[in-house]
């Protein structure tokens, strides 16, 4: 990995715990949003890949993909084909997600 590429953060499992409320994709979406709000993931930083999230959440790829797609549509994440999702550069995600649980 080069110095120009941020490393994928090592996030303790405590920060990736589902709450059991609602559809699984929505729970995953909320967990990812909480990591943005709390500052565990910062602007421009790559987050775990789709397949890493599949393993962590023991969910199907399509379930994780839906959560990621919705976060991209809402402007919380950006995606480039073949790369891990990442937070947009210079976006104040905590302000954007102030209403997230």
């Amino acid at each position: 990995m080069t110095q120009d590429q941020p490393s994928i953060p090592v996030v303790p499992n405590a920060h990736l715990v589902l709450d059991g409320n609602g559809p699984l994709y929505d729970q995953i979406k909320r967990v990812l949003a909480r990591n943005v709000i709390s500052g565990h993931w910062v602007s421009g930083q790559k987050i775990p890949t789709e397949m890493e999230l599949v393993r962590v959440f023991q969910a199907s790829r399509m379930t994780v993909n839906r959560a990621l797609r919705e976060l991209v549509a809402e402007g919380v994440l950006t995606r480039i084909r073949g790369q891990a999702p990442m937070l947009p550069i210079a976006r104040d995600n905590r302000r954007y997600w102030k209403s997230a649980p």
Side-chain angles (χ1 to χ4, degrees):
M1 190 169 300
T2 67
Q3 290 178 335
D4 296 334
Q5 296 174 326
S7 62
I8 295 173
V10 177
V11 180
N13 287 343
H15 297 292
L16 296 175
V17 176
L18 300 174
D19 58 21
N21 296 321
L24 185 56
Y25 79 89
D26 203 35
Q27 293 178 54
I28 292 170
K29 185 176 157 184
R30 285 193 303 270
V31 168
L32 298 178
R34 278 190 218 114
N35 278 282
V36 173
I37 294 167
S38 67
H40 283 98
W41 297 336
V42 296
S43 179
Q45 183 177 34
K46 289 184 180 182
I47 68 167
T49 66
E50 188 173 292
M51 292 312 293
E52 289 170 329
L53 293 171
V54 164
R55 285 190 296 274
V56 168
F57 293 119
Q58 298 180 348
S60 75
R61 185 181 147 272
M62 290 310 298
T63 300
V64 171
N65 182 275
R66 180 169 179 184
L68 291 172
R69 280 186 292 122
E70 288 194 8
L71 290 170
V72 168
E74 294 169 8
V76 177
L77 297 176
T78 59
R79 291 186 92 175
I80 298 172
R81 189 175 181 159
Q83 294 185 13
M86 64 186 296
L87 298 174
I89 295 173
R91 170 137 177 132
D92 186 354
N93 287 297
R94 282 174 271 208
R95 180 182 53 195
Y96 180 84
W97 278 96
K98 66 182 176 184
S99 61

